[in-house]
Amino acid sequence: MTQIVGAVATYSIADHLAKRPVTAEQIATVEGIDSTAAFRLLRACASLGLVTCDEGLTFSATPLLGTLRANVPGSLHSLAIAWSAPGHWLSWGRFLDAVRTGESQTVPALGAALWDYYAQQPEEGAVFTKAMHGFTSGVAQDVTRLVDTSRAKLAVDIGGASGTLVHSLMTANPRLHGIILDLPEVVPSATASAAALGLAERSRALAGDIFASVPEADLYLLKHILHDWDDGHAVRILENCRRAMRPGGRVIVIEALLGEMGEPGFAPLSDLNMMVMLTGRERTLSEYRALLKQAGFRLDKSTPIRPPMAMIEAVAA
């Protein structure tokens, strides 16, 4: 199913069907793919609820397929490509080894840790960065609505990729300045995004090591960052925020929370992805509270946004 959805995204099927119902042959002609294979792919998509088909074998989009359109808020287009690309796919091919050892499989499968691999494969790395933009844009409006930035002058988006989250806050608050702190290869994307939004004068993109230090600020944004790392590294990131944080500052942690045992949802599956791909894990709210406490913070409140996603706010203990 991952590869089917990845192919749908790669060949822009959602965008083709967003314009009008089309045949497999029409998509095949535009995309330069085999027409019989395109039909077989679309038939599988129909069984997954992504498309419908009339008697004339013309295919139409369902709302579910719409999540795979490119360049729309909350788009999963690039995420579908990233998860079906070699970086994730080859690593998941060693899933049994991950369960046997409890260790990430990127080095055995790819010859490098994930972020080093993306640096070596810039095209695939760029797709992942764009995937994070699409994924973040789906929750950015919720976070912007909930976070009070009236007393903040500077926000740092740690590991913020193209800066989607902090740029949303800056758009809502014209007095807020922002910094995106990420890997060197990501900086150009964040800089370009700020310029496109007219935020270049208030936005900076910095390359840095989040385990060494973070810039001084009033507000720190950590969306899908702590889940990448084991407890020791997660605490180190938070400790760096605590040391650099201005008086009255806050940390905003946005993650998928693990629920009760047996509760259906995305978080337990994402937890396995963290095990295969990185050294991290998904956590319960209590586990995040413990990490924050260890780093010198007090959990102030947790607000569900799009289950299982939650926004955790913490202040100095």
Short mmCIF file of all heavy atoms in Angstrom, two decimals, residues 91 94-106 108 228-230 271-281:
data_model
loop_
_atom_site.label_atom_id
_atom_site.label_comp_id
_atom_site.label_asym_id
_atom_site.label_seq_id
_atom_site.Cartn_x
_atom_site.Cartn_y
_atom_site.Cartn_z
N SER A 91 15.34 0.56 4.47
CA SER A 91 15.49 0.39 5.91
C SER A 91 14.38 -0.48 6.48
O SER A 91 14.63 -1.36 7.33
CB SER A 91 15.49 1.77 6.60
OG SER A 91 16.53 2.58 6.10
N ARG A 94 14.52 -4.27 6.52
CA ARG A 94 15.26 -4.92 7.60
C ARG A 94 14.47 -4.84 8.91
O ARG A 94 15.05 -4.84 10.00
CB ARG A 94 16.62 -4.25 7.76
CG ARG A 94 17.51 -4.32 6.51
CD ARG A 94 18.85 -3.65 6.74
NE ARG A 94 19.57 -4.28 7.84
CZ ARG A 94 20.40 -5.32 7.70
NH1 ARG A 94 20.63 -5.83 6.49
NH2 ARG A 94 21.02 -5.84 8.75
N PHE A 95 13.14 -4.80 8.81
CA PHE A 95 12.30 -4.64 10.00
C PHE A 95 12.53 -5.76 11.02
O PHE A 95 12.56 -5.52 12.23
CB PHE A 95 10.83 -4.58 9.60
CG PHE A 95 9.90 -4.38 10.77
CD1 PHE A 95 9.96 -3.23 11.54
CD2 PHE A 95 8.97 -5.36 11.12
CE1 PHE A 95 9.11 -3.04 12.62
CE2 PHE A 95 8.12 -5.19 12.19
CZ PHE A 95 8.18 -4.03 12.94
N LEU A 96 12.68 -6.99 10.54
CA LEU A 96 12.89 -8.10 11.48
C LEU A 96 14.17 -7.89 12.28
O LEU A 96 14.23 -8.22 13.47
CB LEU A 96 12.95 -9.43 10.73
CG LEU A 96 11.65 -9.89 10.06
CD1 LEU A 96 11.86 -11.25 9.39
CD2 LEU A 96 10.51 -9.96 11.07
N ASP A 97 15.18 -7.32 11.64
CA ASP A 97 16.42 -7.03 12.36
C ASP A 97 16.22 -5.92 13.38
O ASP A 97 16.82 -5.93 14.46
CB ASP A 97 17.53 -6.64 11.38
CG ASP A 97 17.96 -7.80 10.49
OD1 ASP A 97 18.24 -8.88 11.03
OD2 ASP A 97 17.99 -7.63 9.27
N ALA A 98 15.37 -4.96 13.04
CA ALA A 98 15.06 -3.89 13.99
C ALA A 98 14.38 -4.45 15.23
O ALA A 98 14.69 -4.06 16.37
CB ALA A 98 14.18 -2.83 13.34
N VAL A 99 13.45 -5.38 15.03
CA VAL A 99 12.76 -6.00 16.17
C VAL A 99 13.73 -6.88 16.97
O VAL A 99 13.71 -6.90 18.20
CB VAL A 99 11.55 -6.82 15.68
CG1 VAL A 99 10.91 -7.57 16.84
CG2 VAL A 99 10.52 -5.90 15.02
N ARG A 100 14.61 -7.59 16.27
CA ARG A 100 15.56 -8.48 16.96
C ARG A 100 16.55 -7.70 17.81
O ARG A 100 16.86 -8.08 18.93
CB ARG A 100 16.30 -9.32 15.93
CG ARG A 100 17.36 -10.27 16.52
CD ARG A 100 17.98 -11.16 15.44
NE ARG A 100 18.58 -10.38 14.37
CZ ARG A 100 19.81 -9.85 14.43
NH1 ARG A 100 20.56 -10.02 15.51
NH2 ARG A 100 20.29 -9.17 13.41
N THR A 101 17.03 -6.56 17.28
CA THR A 101 18.09 -5.82 17.97
C THR A 101 17.60 -4.59 18.71
O THR A 101 18.29 -4.08 19.60
CB THR A 101 19.15 -5.36 16.96
OG1 THR A 101 18.56 -4.43 16.04
CG2 THR A 101 19.71 -6.55 16.18
N GLY A 102 16.42 -4.07 18.32
CA GLY A 102 15.94 -2.81 18.88
C GLY A 102 16.71 -1.61 18.37
O GLY A 102 16.65 -0.53 18.96
N GLU A 103 17.43 -1.77 17.27
CA GLU A 103 18.28 -0.71 16.76
C GLU A 103 17.85 -0.24 15.37
O GLU A 103 17.29 -1.02 14.58
CB GLU A 103 19.74 -1.19 16.70
CG GLU A 103 20.33 -1.52 18.07
CD GLU A 103 21.75 -2.05 17.97
OE1 GLU A 103 22.22 -2.28 16.83
OE2 GLU A 103 22.38 -2.22 19.03
N SER A 104 18.14 1.03 15.08
CA SER A 104 17.86 1.61 13.76
C SER A 104 18.56 0.81 12.67
O SER A 104 19.67 0.32 12.85
CB SER A 104 18.34 3.06 13.73
OG SER A 104 18.33 3.56 12.41
N GLN A 105 17.92 0.71 11.51
CA GLN A 105 18.46 -0.08 10.40
C GLN A 105 18.94 0.77 9.24
O GLN A 105 19.24 0.25 8.17
CB GLN A 105 17.39 -1.06 9.92
CG GLN A 105 17.02 -2.12 10.95
CD GLN A 105 18.23 -2.94 11.39
OE1 GLN A 105 18.91 -3.54 10.56
NE2 GLN A 105 18.50 -2.96 12.70
N THR A 106 19.05 2.09 9.41
CA THR A 106 19.48 2.92 8.29
C THR A 106 20.94 2.66 7.92
O THR A 106 21.26 2.60 6.73
CB THR A 106 19.27 4.41 8.60
OG1 THR A 106 19.91 4.74 9.84
CG2 THR A 106 17.80 4.75 8.70
N PRO A 108 22.86 -0.15 8.36
CA PRO A 108 23.00 -1.41 7.62
C PRO A 108 22.38 -1.36 6.23
O PRO A 108 22.91 -1.95 5.29
CB PRO A 108 22.28 -2.43 8.50
CG PRO A 108 22.30 -1.85 9.87
CD PRO A 108 22.20 -0.37 9.67
N ASP A 228 12.32 12.00 17.29
CA ASP A 228 13.42 11.46 16.49
C ASP A 228 14.53 10.85 17.36
O ASP A 228 15.38 10.12 16.83
CB ASP A 228 14.06 12.57 15.64
CG ASP A 228 13.20 12.98 14.46
OD1 ASP A 228 12.23 12.28 14.14
OD2 ASP A 228 13.51 14.02 13.85
N TRP A 229 14.53 11.18 18.66
CA TRP A 229 15.70 10.90 19.49
C TRP A 229 15.37 10.11 20.74
O TRP A 229 14.25 10.15 21.24
CB TRP A 229 16.36 12.24 19.89
CG TRP A 229 16.71 13.08 18.70
CD1 TRP A 229 16.00 14.14 18.20
CD2 TRP A 229 17.81 12.87 17.80
NE1 TRP A 229 16.59 14.62 17.06
CE2 TRP A 229 17.72 13.87 16.79
CE3 TRP A 229 18.88 11.97 17.76
CZ2 TRP A 229 18.64 13.97 15.76
CZ3 TRP A 229 19.80 12.09 16.73
CH2 TRP A 229 19.67 13.07 15.75
N ASP A 230 16.38 9.40 21.24
CA ASP A 230 16.22 8.70 22.51
C ASP A 230 16.11 9.72 23.64
O ASP A 230 16.29 10.92 23.45
CB ASP A 230 17.39 7.73 22.75
CG ASP A 230 18.74 8.42 22.76
OD1 ASP A 230 18.87 9.49 23.40
OD2 ASP A 230 19.68 7.92 22.12
N ASP A 271 5.65 4.96 15.93
CA ASP A 271 6.65 4.54 16.92
C ASP A 271 7.58 3.48 16.31
O ASP A 271 8.81 3.52 16.53
CB ASP A 271 5.94 3.98 18.15
CG ASP A 271 6.91 3.57 19.24
OD1 ASP A 271 7.79 4.37 19.60
OD2 ASP A 271 6.80 2.43 19.73
N LEU A 272 7.03 2.56 15.54
CA LEU A 272 7.86 1.55 14.88
C LEU A 272 8.73 2.20 13.81
O LEU A 272 9.88 1.77 13.59
CB LEU A 272 6.99 0.45 14.28
CG LEU A 272 6.24 -0.44 15.26
CD1 LEU A 272 5.44 -1.50 14.52
CD2 LEU A 272 7.19 -1.10 16.24
N ASN A 273 8.21 3.20 13.13
CA ASN A 273 9.01 3.90 12.14
C ASN A 273 10.22 4.57 12.79
O ASN A 273 11.33 4.56 12.24
CB ASN A 273 8.16 4.94 11.41
CG ASN A 273 8.81 5.44 10.13
OD1 ASN A 273 9.36 4.66 9.35
ND2 ASN A 273 8.75 6.74 9.91
N MET A 274 10.02 5.15 13.97
CA MET A 274 11.15 5.75 14.70
C MET A 274 12.18 4.68 15.07
O MET A 274 13.39 4.93 15.03
CB MET A 274 10.65 6.45 15.96
CG MET A 274 9.74 7.64 15.74
SD MET A 274 10.51 8.94 14.74
CE MET A 274 9.67 8.70 13.19
N MET A 275 11.71 3.50 15.40
CA MET A 275 12.62 2.41 15.76
C MET A 275 13.46 1.97 14.58
O MET A 275 14.66 1.72 14.70
CB MET A 275 11.82 1.22 16.31
CG MET A 275 12.68 0.04 16.75
SD MET A 275 11.69 -1.30 17.48
CE MET A 275 10.90 -1.98 16.01
N VAL A 276 12.84 1.89 13.41
CA VAL A 276 13.55 1.44 12.21
C VAL A 276 14.49 2.52 11.68
O VAL A 276 15.63 2.23 11.29
CB VAL A 276 12.54 1.04 11.11
CG1 VAL A 276 13.26 0.77 9.79
CG2 VAL A 276 11.75 -0.19 11.53
N MET A 277 14.01 3.77 11.66
CA MET A 277 14.71 4.83 10.95
C MET A 277 15.68 5.63 11.79
O MET A 277 16.67 6.15 11.28
CB MET A 277 13.69 5.80 10.34
CG MET A 277 12.71 5.16 9.37
SD MET A 277 13.51 4.35 7.96
CE MET A 277 14.46 5.69 7.27
N LEU A 278 15.39 5.76 13.09
CA LEU A 278 16.17 6.65 13.94
C LEU A 278 16.42 5.99 15.29
O LEU A 278 16.33 4.78 15.40
CB LEU A 278 15.43 7.99 14.10
CG LEU A 278 15.25 8.78 12.79
CD1 LEU A 278 14.13 9.81 12.92
CD2 LEU A 278 16.55 9.48 12.41
N THR A 279 16.73 6.80 16.29
CA THR A 279 16.93 6.25 17.65
C THR A 279 15.78 6.64 18.57
O THR A 279 15.83 6.39 19.77
CB THR A 279 18.24 6.79 18.26
OG1 THR A 279 18.16 8.21 18.40
CG2 THR A 279 19.42 6.43 17.37
N GLY A 280 14.74 7.28 18.00
CA GLY A 280 13.69 7.84 18.82
C GLY A 280 12.50 6.92 19.01
O GLY A 280 12.55 5.71 18.73
N ARG A 281 11.42 7.53 19.47
CA ARG A 281 10.20 6.80 19.78
C ARG A 281 9.05 7.79 19.97
O ARG A 281 9.27 8.96 20.24
CB ARG A 281 10.37 5.99 21.07
CG ARG A 281 10.79 6.83 22.26
CD ARG A 281 11.02 6.01 23.50
NE ARG A 281 9.80 5.37 23.93
CZ ARG A 281 9.70 4.63 25.04
NH1 ARG A 281 10.77 4.44 25.80
NH2 ARG A 281 8.56 4.08 25.37
#
